Amino acid sequence: MPQIPTNRSPGAWLLGLLALLVALIVAGGWLHFNSQQAEAKRLAEEMLTHIEALKADQIAQWMRERRADAAAALDLPLARRYLQAPHDPATRQEMQQWLNRSQRTYSYSAVALFDAAGRLLLHSTAAQAPWQGTAFLVAASEHAQAAVSARDVVFYDLHDLPDQFIHMSFAAPVGLSPQPDRPAAGALLFVIDPRSYLYPLIQTWPTPSPSAETMLIRREGDEVVFLNDLRHRADTALKLRLPISAPPRLPSEMAAQGREGLVEGATDYRGVPVLAAIRAIAGTPWSMVAKVDQDEVYAPQRQQAWTTGLLTALLVLLASLGLGLVWRQQQLASSRRAEAMLGESEKRFRQLFEHVPMALGFVTLDGRMLALNGKFEQVLGYTLSDIPDIEAWWRLAYPDPVYRATVQASWSPAIERAVATGGEIEPTAFRVTCKGGAVRDVLISGIVLADGVLAAFLDISEQKRMERRLGLAMHAARILIWEIDFTTGKLGYDGSAMTGLGLDQATAPDTLEGWMARIHPDDRGRFTALVEQTLQPCNTRDFDCEYRFDDNTGGYHWLQTVVQRDADGWPLLGAGYSVNIDERKQAEAAAAQYTRELERGRRALLSVLQDQRRVEASLRQLALAVEQSPESIVITNLAAEIEYVNTAFLATTGYTRDQVVGQNPRILQSGQTPRATYDEMWDSLTAGQPWKGEFINRKASGEEYVEFAHVAPLRQADDRISHYVAVKADITEKKRLFRILRRNHYM
C-alpha cells in the first residue's frame, strides 16, 4: 500500500509532542499545587478546631469548678455562726482557718467575708489582694452586697482597677433568712487571679508555630474587648478595644456577634490574613478565637511551587535539546528512582514488621513460615526454627487434637472468604499454647496478599480475665448495666443480674415505657418526674432514684437506678446501672425496727410497777436483740458520750468496750466525711428528727471504711429527748464494686 504523504516534518512532530508534554507537566504541577494547598488548609482547620475546642472546654470546666466552690459555700453554717457572734474567739479562729484553707486549697488570690452592709470582716491571711483603703476594697464590697441582695452566687467578670492586677471573683451569700424577700446576713468572696491558670492556658500553643495564638474576648456594647495579652502585641489585656464593624472583618468581631466555626480570608488585629476557629465558652460571656497566619499555613506549598516551576523549566530546556535523549534519560532516572523507592519501601516494611508493637507472622500460600517478628517471640515464645511451616504451628499451638480441629475448621473458611472478597480475615479469639506451656487468649486476624498471608496476634488474656472478674462482680452485686436512646426510648441490657431482677431476654421490657410499667404504683410518679427533669435542656443533675420493681413473681425488689449524662445541651444517649438494694432497705427497716423496739423498752420501764415480770422479760429480749444484731448499734447521752455499743460495733471497728464507753463517736472520724454531713445530722437531731446518711470512718487499726447510718433521738414519757441511738451497716465492699463497675462500663 503506498504511503500517504504528509506536510509535517519530524521536527514539527517533536515540537508538537514537546508542547503537549510541557502543557501536561504545567497542568499537573498546578493541580498538585492546588491539592497540596487544600490539604494544608484542611490540616490547619482541623488543628485550629481541635485546639479551640480543647481550650474552650477546659476553660468552661474550670469556670464550673470555681462556681461550684462558691455554690458549696452558699449559706455556710460556720459563716452564719460567725455573723451571729463575731466576738466569739473560737468561732473567729475557726472562720479564719476556713478562709486560709479555702484560699490555699483552691489557689484563690484571696477569700474574704463581708457583712450585709459590705464591710470587710475577715479575709485570708495569705491574700495577695490589697484590702485596706483601695478601689479594690470598694469593688469587692459592691460585689459582696450584690450577692447579699440576690441571695445566690454572683459572678464578677474580669476587670482591672487603678494600680491593681486584673482579677475576677465569685460571691456566695451566707446567713440566708427563710423569708425569700429578705437579704442575706453577709457574703463570702472568692477572688481569682487569671495569671495563675486562665492566662497560661490561653497563651500556650501545643505545637511550634511562629504566628499561631489563642485569644479570649467578650463584647461590651459596640466594642470587642481582648481579655488576655496577645502574642504579637504586648499589654493588651482589658486595654485593647476595637469597634465592631458592619459587616464584621476580624474573627474577634465575628466572635463578639455570636458566630462560631471556621473563618477563612479574614484579617486579624494586625491586618494580616489568617485562618481562625471561633467558639463560645459555655456558661460565660466569653468567646475563644484560635488563629494562625495564612502565610504560615501555605508557606511549604509555595516553596514547593517554586521548586516545581524550576524543575519544569529545566525539563523544558532538556526537552528542547532532543526529545529522544530526554525521554531516554527520564526512563533511566525513573527506573533508578523506582528501584531505590522499592528498596527503601522494603526496608521500611521490614523495620515496621520487626518493631510494630503487635505479634506478626507471614506464611506463604503453600504453608511455609517466612517471617516472625520480635513481638511474636516475646508473646508466644516461638521462633522460625520452632515453626518452619504451618503444620508445626498447628501441632505446637494447639496440642489438643480436638481443639486443633475446631480451630482449623474456623480458620480455613475465614481465609477462603478473604481470598474471595479480597478483604481481611475476620478477628477471632483462640486459646493458644505458648512455647513454655502457658495458655493465652489470643485474637488472631490477618490479610491475604498476593504471595501469602500476613497474620496478626493480639494477646487479650488480661482482658478476658477482667471480663470474667467483672461478670462475677456484677453477679455478686446483682447489678444490671443498661443503655437508653432518649430519642427512641429504646433500652439495651448487659449483666447477669437480669434474672435476679425478674428479667430475661424474652420478657424484659425493651423501652423506657415498658420499664416504667413495672414500677410500683406508689413510686411511678416520682420516677416519671425525675425522667422528665433529666430530659430538660441544659439540665446538669444526674438521675438517681430508689424504687420498687415488679419481679414477675407477684413481689417487688427495691432498685436504685443511676444515670450519668453530659450536662451540656439536650441528651441523646444515656448509660447507667440498676442495682438491687433490698439488703440496704432491709437494713433501714431493721434500724427503724430497732428504734421502735428501744422506744417500746423505754415505755415498758415506765410501767415496771404494774408488771415487773413482763418488763424484765421485754428488757432481756430487747437487750439480746440489740447485742446480737448484725448491725453496729451505738447509744450516747445528749453530750454525745458513748454509753453503750453492741458486739457488732466492736467487731467492725476493732475497739474494745472499755476503749469507747465514755468517749465521743468522733474517735471514729477519718477526716474524709464532709463537714456538711455532720451539720445536716445535728440539725435533724436537735430538731428531734431522725437522720440517715453515709460516714467515711477509721477503725482502731487505721483502716478506713464506709458506713450507712440511721441515727434517731430517744424520748422519755414526757416527750423529752434523753439519748441518741445509731444503727450502722458497713457498705465498704458495695461502694468498691460500684466504682469498679462504673469505671469498666465507661472505658
Side-chain angles (χ1 to χ4, degrees), residues 626-633 645-653:
V626 172
E627 184 61 26
Q628 297 176 12
S629 169
E631 311 293 341
S632 297
I633 298 178
V645 294
N646 69 347
T647 303
F649 174 91
L650 302 178
T652 298
T653 66

Side-chain angles (χ1 to χ4, degrees), residues 699-722:
K699 300 180 180 180
S701 63
E703 177 186 358
E704 292 185 357
Y705 67 104
V706 183
E707 285 187 323
F708 182 84
H710 187 285
V711 187
L714 291 180
R715 299 181 181 273
Q716 300 299 323
D718 57 359
D719 208 42
R720 176 176 54 85
I721 297 174
S722 62

Side-chain angles (χ1 to χ4, degrees), residues 137-306:
L137 180 57
V138 174
S141 174
E142 293 175 352
H143 189 191
Q145 288 179 291
V148 167
S149 300
R151 293 171 56 89
D152 200 356
V153 174
V154 176
F155 171 59
Y156 201 42
D157 203 351
L158 287 166
H159 60 282
D160 59 353
L161 298 168
D163 301 324
Q164 301 295 331
F165 62 86
I166 296 174
H167 64 278
M168 54 189 280
S169 55
F170 285 92
V174 294
L176 295 175
S177 170
Q179 301 179 9
D181 57 343
R182 294 190 62 183
L188 283 165
L189 187 69
F190 300 84
V191 182
I192 302 170
D193 185 348
R195 297 172 298 181
S196 62
Y197 175 82
L198 182 60
Y199 284 174
L201 173 62
I202 298 170
Q203 294 167 339
T204 56
W205 195 265
T207 60
S209 172
S211 67
E213 66 175 324
T214 50
M215 304 179 298
L216 195 64
I217 65 97
R218 72 175 178 230
R219 179 171 186 170
E220 293 185 5
D222 293 329
E223 292 182 328
V224 55
V225 181
F226 293 79
L227 304 181
N228 62 289
D229 287 335
L230 304 177
R231 179 175 186 177
H232 305 291
R233 186 178 298 181
D235 196 25
T236 56
L238 295 181
K239 296 180 180 178
L240 179 59
R241 296 170 175 265
L242 298 177
I244 300 175
S245 57
R249 298 175 295 102
L250 309 183
S252 55
E253 296 177 8
M254 300 175 188
Q257 289 190 334
R259 178 174 172 179
E260 292 186 305
L262 293 167
V263 177
E264 180 186 7
T267 58
D268 67 356
Y269 57 88
R270 302 168 296 161
V272 176
V274 295
L275 286 176
I278 304 171
R279 181 169 177 173
I281 298 178
T284 73
W286 307 334
S287 290
M288 170 72 68
V289 179
K291 68 179 185 66
V292 63
D293 290 357
Q294 287 188 6
D295 286 343
E296 178 183 344
V297 174
Y298 299 133
Q301 284 66 43
R302 291 170 180 170
Q303 180 64 36
Q304 186 179 9
W306 279 103

Side-chain angles (χ1 to χ4, degrees), residues 351-589:
Q351 291 177 341
L352 176 63
F353 179 83
E354 188 61 34
H355 296 100
V356 68
M358 176 180 287
L360 297 176
F362 187 82
V363 60
T364 63
L365 296 179
D366 59 1
R368 289 180 295 112
M369 195 71 69
L370 285 187
L372 302 172
N373 68 351
K375 190 67 175 180
F376 186 96
E377 181 177 357
Q378 177 184 344
V379 173
L380 302 176
Y382 297 116
T383 63
L384 273 177
S385 61
D386 298 320
I387 47 174
D389 53 43
I390 192 66
E391 292 302 324
W393 164 254
W394 292 127
R395 185 176 62 259
L396 295 175
Y398 311 104
D400 179 16
V402 176
Y403 185 61
R404 183 192 311 153
T406 301
V407 174
Q408 291 174 331
S410 172
W411 182 255
S412 298
I415 292 182
E416 293 175 359
R417 288 193 298 271
V419 171
T421 62
E424 300 177 354
I425 302 173
E426 299 176 356
T428 307
F430 299 107
R431 300 280 289 170
V432 177
T433 301
C434 302
K435 186 174 183 179
V439 178
R440 296 178 180 269
D441 289 294
V442 180
L443 189 67
I444 304 179
S445 59
I447 184 171
V448 178
L449 304 176
D451 53 350
V453 175
L454 179 64
F457 304 79
L458 178 62
D459 184 0
I460 59 173
S461 302
E462 184 62 26
Q463 176 184 338
K464 288 291 186 180
R465 281 193 292 270
M466 288 300 296
E467 288 176 356
R468 289 191 288 270
R469 292 173 183 172
L470 179 59
L472 290 174
M474 289 172 60
H475 181 75
R478 293 187 290 177
I479 288 177
L480 175 68
I481 296 176
W482 49 267
E483 293 181 347
I484 179 172
D485 185 337
F486 285 111
T487 60
T488 64
K490 289 291 184 180
L491 289 174
Y493 304 97
D494 184 21
S496 59
M498 293 178 66
T499 303
L501 300 182
L503 299 172
D504 55 50
Q505 294 292 347
T507 64
D510 60 354
T511 64
L512 180 61
E513 181 180 3
W515 183 276
M516 292 170 61
R518 290 180 59 174
I519 296 176
H520 194 285
D522 293 345
D523 301 332
R524 192 176 300 148
R526 176 166 50 87
F527 188 94
T528 303
L530 283 175
V531 170
E532 293 175 351
Q533 176 180 320
T534 301
L535 295 177
Q536 291 298 317
C538 301
N539 177 47
T540 60
R541 297 183 60 185
D542 291 336
F543 183 98
D544 191 341
C545 184
E546 298 177 4
Y547 56 94
R548 287 160 290 182
F549 190 80
D550 185 359
D551 62 4
N552 260 357
T553 62
Y556 287 89
H557 281 302
W558 274 100
L559 300 187
Q560 179 183 18
T561 294
V562 177
V563 180
Q564 290 185 326
R565 55 185 291 278
D566 188 352
D568 298 326
W570 188 275
L572 296 178
L573 292 174
Y577 62 89
S578 298
V579 58
N580 189 308
I581 59 171
D582 285 340
E583 293 181 0
R584 200 187 84 192
K585 287 296 183 179
Q586 291 167 4
E588 293 177 0

